[in-house]
PDB file of all heavy atoms in Angstrom:
ATOM      1  N   GLN B  83     260.701 187.174 146.443  1.00 97.00           N
ATOM      2  CA  GLN B  83     260.741 187.634 147.860  1.00 97.00           C
ATOM      3  C   GLN B  83     260.238 186.418 148.721  1.00 97.00           C
ATOM      4  O   GLN B  83     259.564 185.432 148.224  1.00 97.00           O
ATOM      5  CB  GLN B  83     259.807 188.814 148.013  1.00 97.00           C
ATOM      6  CG  GLN B  83     260.116 190.044 147.184  1.00 97.00           C
ATOM      7  CD  GLN B  83     259.107 191.147 147.417  1.00 97.00           C
ATOM      8  OE1 GLN B  83     258.142 191.029 148.165  1.00 97.00           O
ATOM      9  NE2 GLN B  83     259.352 192.263 146.719  1.00 97.00           N
ATOM     10  N   VAL B  84     260.648 186.494 149.935  1.00 97.00           N
ATOM     11  CA  VAL B  84     260.301 185.349 150.850  1.00 97.00           C
ATOM     12  C   VAL B  84     258.814 185.213 150.861  1.00 97.00           C
ATOM     13  O   VAL B  84     258.277 184.068 151.050  1.00 97.00           O
ATOM     14  CB  VAL B  84     260.834 185.722 152.273  1.00 97.00           C
ATOM     15  CG1 VAL B  84     260.311 184.693 153.369  1.00 97.00           C
ATOM     16  CG2 VAL B  84     262.395 185.683 152.165  1.00 97.00           C
ATOM     17  N   VAL B  85     257.931 186.314 150.796  1.00 97.00           N
ATOM     18  CA  VAL B  85     256.504 186.191 150.800  1.00 97.00           C
ATOM     19  C   VAL B  85     256.013 185.340 149.576  1.00 97.00           C
ATOM     20  O   VAL B  85     254.818 184.952 149.644  1.00 97.00           O
ATOM     21  CB  VAL B  85     255.847 187.550 150.847  1.00 97.00           C
ATOM     22  CG1 VAL B  85     256.085 188.218 152.218  1.00 97.00           C
ATOM     23  CG2 VAL B  85     256.177 188.384 149.711  1.00 97.00           C
ATOM     24  N   ASP B  86     256.826 185.204 148.695  1.00 97.00           N
ATOM     25  CA  ASP B  86     256.353 184.333 147.508  1.00 97.00           C
ATOM     26  C   ASP B  86     256.449 182.869 147.818  1.00 97.00           C
ATOM     27  O   ASP B  86     255.916 182.033 147.036  1.00 97.00           O
ATOM     28  CB  ASP B  86     257.228 184.637 146.233  1.00 97.00           C
ATOM     29  CG  ASP B  86     257.140 185.986 145.727  1.00 97.00           C
ATOM     30  OD1 ASP B  86     256.021 186.729 145.950  1.00 97.00           O
ATOM     31  OD2 ASP B  86     258.117 186.563 145.268  1.00 97.00           O
ATOM     32  N   SER B  87     256.960 182.427 148.916  1.00 98.00           N
ATOM     33  CA  SER B  87     257.035 181.078 149.328  1.00 98.00           C
ATOM     34  C   SER B  87     255.624 180.492 149.472  1.00 98.00           C
ATOM     35  O   SER B  87     254.793 180.955 150.325  1.00 98.00           O
ATOM     36  CB  SER B  87     257.870 180.899 150.548  1.00 98.00           C
ATOM     37  OG  SER B  87     259.173 181.201 150.356  1.00 98.00           O
ATOM     38  N   ALA B  88     255.325 179.485 148.694  1.00 98.00           N
ATOM     39  CA  ALA B  88     254.020 178.958 148.780  1.00 98.00           C
ATOM     40  C   ALA B  88     253.982 177.675 147.870  1.00 98.00           C
ATOM     41  O   ALA B  88     254.893 177.347 147.186  1.00 98.00           O
ATOM     42  CB  ALA B  88     252.952 179.990 148.226  1.00 98.00           C
ATOM     43  N   VAL B  89     252.753 177.074 147.840  1.00 98.00           N
ATOM     44  CA  VAL B  89     252.537 175.994 146.830  1.00 98.00           C
ATOM     45  C   VAL B  89     251.660 176.783 145.701  1.00 98.00           C
ATOM     46  O   VAL B  89     250.734 177.344 146.013  1.00 98.00           O
ATOM     47  CB  VAL B  89     251.753 174.789 147.404  1.00 98.00           C
ATOM     48  CG1 VAL B  89     251.545 173.860 146.324  1.00 98.00           C
ATOM     49  CG2 VAL B  89     252.585 174.152 148.543  1.00 98.00           C
ATOM     50  N   TYR B  90     252.091 176.588 144.476  1.00 98.00           N
ATOM     51  CA  TYR B  90     251.290 177.103 143.368  1.00 98.00           C
ATOM     52  C   TYR B  90     250.736 176.086 142.497  1.00 98.00           C
ATOM     53  O   TYR B  90     251.406 175.076 142.240  1.00 98.00           O
ATOM     54  CB  TYR B  90     252.248 178.030 142.543  1.00 98.00           C
ATOM     55  CG  TYR B  90     252.868 179.276 143.257  1.00 98.00           C
ATOM     56  CD1 TYR B  90     253.854 179.247 144.040  1.00 98.00           C
ATOM     57  CD2 TYR B  90     252.072 180.414 143.097  1.00 98.00           C
ATOM     58  CE1 TYR B  90     254.314 180.285 144.736  1.00 98.00           C
ATOM     59  CE2 TYR B  90     252.477 181.607 143.774  1.00 98.00           C
ATOM     60  CZ  TYR B  90     253.690 181.518 144.564  1.00 98.00           C
ATOM     61  OH  TYR B  90     254.147 182.659 145.266  1.00 98.00           O
ATOM     62  N   PHE B  91     249.425 176.292 142.284  1.00 98.00           N
ATOM     63  CA  PHE B  91     248.622 175.388 141.519  1.00 98.00           C
ATOM     64  C   PHE B  91     248.157 175.979 140.211  1.00 98.00           C
ATOM     65  O   PHE B  91     247.735 177.097 140.087  1.00 98.00           O
ATOM     66  CB  PHE B  91     247.319 174.974 142.302  1.00 98.00           C
ATOM     67  CG  PHE B  91     247.615 174.147 143.528  1.00 98.00           C
ATOM     68  CD1 PHE B  91     247.688 174.782 144.804  1.00 98.00           C
ATOM     69  CD2 PHE B  91     247.746 172.765 143.418  1.00 98.00           C
ATOM     70  CE1 PHE B  91     247.923 174.023 145.891  1.00 98.00           C
ATOM     71  CE2 PHE B  91     247.967 172.013 144.573  1.00 98.00           C
ATOM     72  CZ  PHE B  91     248.075 172.637 145.749  1.00 98.00           C
ATOM     73  N   CYS B  92     248.270 175.165 139.201  1.00 98.00           N
ATOM     74  CA  CYS B  92     247.780 175.580 137.841  1.00 98.00           C
ATOM     75  C   CYS B  92     246.444 174.667 137.712  1.00 98.00           C
ATOM     76  O   CYS B  92     246.461 173.671 138.225  1.00 98.00           O
ATOM     77  CB  CYS B  92     248.816 175.151 136.786  1.00 98.00           C
ATOM     78  SG  CYS B  92     248.423 175.523 135.070  1.00 98.00           S
ATOM     79  N   ALA B  93     245.509 175.325 136.995  1.00 97.00           N
ATOM     80  CA  ALA B  93     244.217 174.568 136.895  1.00 97.00           C
ATOM     81  C   ALA B  93     243.576 174.843 135.527  1.00 97.00           C
ATOM     82  O   ALA B  93     243.918 175.819 134.891  1.00 97.00           O
ATOM     83  CB  ALA B  93     243.329 175.005 138.074  1.00 97.00           C
ATOM     84  N   LEU B  94     242.714 173.987 135.118  1.00 95.00           N
ATOM     85  CA  LEU B  94     242.097 174.029 133.800  1.00 95.00           C
ATOM     86  C   LEU B  94     240.615 173.797 133.951  1.00 95.00           C
ATOM     87  O   LEU B  94     240.192 172.888 134.750  1.00 95.00           O
ATOM     88  CB  LEU B  94     242.714 172.994 132.946  1.00 95.00           C
ATOM     89  CG  LEU B  94     242.004 172.588 131.675  1.00 95.00           C
ATOM     90  CD1 LEU B  94     242.126 173.715 130.584  1.00 95.00           C
ATOM     91  CD2 LEU B  94     242.556 171.279 131.027  1.00 95.00           C
ATOM     92  N   LYS B  95     239.802 174.559 133.199  1.00 92.00           N
ATOM     93  CA  LYS B  95     238.437 174.348 133.138  1.00 92.00           C
ATOM     94  C   LYS B  95     237.935 174.440 131.704  1.00 92.00           C
ATOM     95  O   LYS B  95     238.361 175.337 130.977  1.00 92.00           O
ATOM     96  CB  LYS B  95     237.669 175.431 134.043  1.00 92.00           C
ATOM     97  CG  LYS B  95     236.257 175.262 134.062  1.00 92.00           C
ATOM     98  CD  LYS B  95     235.682 176.480 134.823  1.00 92.00           C
ATOM     99  CE  LYS B  95     234.462 177.062 134.128  1.00 92.00           C
ATOM    100  NZ  LYS B  95     233.517 176.052 133.613  1.00 92.00           N
ATOM    101  N   THR B  96     237.053 173.613 131.268  1.00 89.00           N
ATOM    102  CA  THR B  96     236.584 173.730 129.902  1.00 89.00           C
ATOM    103  C   THR B  96     235.189 174.422 129.824  1.00 89.00           C
ATOM    104  O   THR B  96     234.495 174.247 130.863  1.00 89.00           O
ATOM    105  CB  THR B  96     236.584 172.316 129.153  1.00 89.00           C
ATOM    106  OG1 THR B  96     235.709 171.427 130.027  1.00 89.00           O
ATOM    107  CG2 THR B  96     237.979 171.712 129.097  1.00 89.00           C
ATOM    108  N   PHE B  97     234.884 174.892 128.769  1.00 85.00           N
ATOM    109  CA  PHE B  97     233.653 175.570 128.583  1.00 85.00           C
ATOM    110  C   PHE B  97     232.507 174.624 128.734  1.00 85.00           C
ATOM    111  O   PHE B  97     232.474 173.468 128.138  1.00 85.00           O
ATOM    112  CB  PHE B  97     233.566 176.244 127.189  1.00 85.00           C
ATOM    113  CG  PHE B  97     232.192 176.949 126.929  1.00 85.00           C
ATOM    114  CD1 PHE B  97     232.077 178.220 127.416  1.00 85.00           C
ATOM    115  CD2 PHE B  97     231.209 176.334 126.206  1.00 85.00           C
ATOM    116  CE1 PHE B  97     230.788 178.804 127.162  1.00 85.00           C
ATOM    117  CE2 PHE B  97     230.036 176.953 125.889  1.00 85.00           C
ATOM    118  CZ  PHE B  97     229.892 178.215 126.396  1.00 85.00           C
ATOM    119  N   GLY B  98     231.549 174.986 129.496  1.00 81.00           N
ATOM    120  CA  GLY B  98     230.301 174.089 129.738  1.00 81.00           C
ATOM    121  C   GLY B  98     230.467 173.085 130.797  1.00 81.00           C
ATOM    122  O   GLY B  98     229.583 172.325 131.032  1.00 81.00           O
ATOM    123  N   ASN B  99     231.594 173.119 131.454  1.00 82.00           N
ATOM    124  CA  ASN B  99     231.925 172.188 132.525  1.00 82.00           C
ATOM    125  C   ASN B  99     232.308 172.917 133.687  1.00 82.00           C
ATOM    126  O   ASN B  99     233.297 173.635 133.672  1.00 82.00           O
ATOM    127  CB  ASN B  99     233.047 171.221 131.999  1.00 82.00           C
ATOM    128  CG  ASN B  99     233.258 170.050 133.006  1.00 82.00           C
ATOM    129  OD1 ASN B  99     232.788 170.096 134.099  1.00 82.00           O
ATOM    130  ND2 ASN B  99     234.078 169.090 132.574  1.00 82.00           N
ATOM    131  N   GLU B 100     231.641 172.653 134.837  1.00 79.00           N
ATOM    132  CA  GLU B 100     231.926 173.385 136.131  1.00 79.00           C
ATOM    133  C   GLU B 100     233.237 172.867 136.715  1.00 79.00           C
ATOM    134  O   GLU B 100     233.755 173.531 137.614  1.00 79.00           O
ATOM    135  CB  GLU B 100     230.887 173.285 137.060  1.00 79.00           C
ATOM    136  CG  GLU B 100     229.673 174.215 136.945  1.00 79.00           C
ATOM    137  CD  GLU B 100     228.588 173.656 135.944  1.00 79.00           C
ATOM    138  OE1 GLU B 100     228.812 172.546 135.302  1.00 79.00           O
ATOM    139  OE2 GLU B 100     227.542 174.246 135.848  1.00 79.00           O
ATOM    140  N   LYS B 101     233.670 171.751 136.277  1.00 86.00           N
ATOM    141  CA  LYS B 101     234.751 171.044 136.985  1.00 86.00           C
ATOM    142  C   LYS B 101     236.099 171.811 136.684  1.00 86.00           C
ATOM    143  O   LYS B 101     236.425 172.104 135.599  1.00 86.00           O
ATOM    144  CB  LYS B 101     234.853 169.635 136.534  1.00 86.00           C
ATOM    145  CG  LYS B 101     235.941 168.795 137.126  1.00 86.00           C
ATOM    146  CD  LYS B 101     235.907 167.401 136.712  1.00 86.00           C
ATOM    147  CE  LYS B 101     237.061 166.578 137.172  1.00 86.00           C
ATOM    148  NZ  LYS B 101     237.056 165.240 136.728  1.00 86.00           N
TER     149      LYS B 101
END
Side-chain angles (χ1 to χ4, degrees):
Chain B
Q83 300 177 2
V84 172
V85 292
D86 296 327
S87 295
V89 179
Y90 290 86
F91 292 95
C92 181
L94 166 70
K95 181 188 138 40
T96 55
F97 179 79
N99 186 347
E100 279 86 353
K101 183 178 174 181

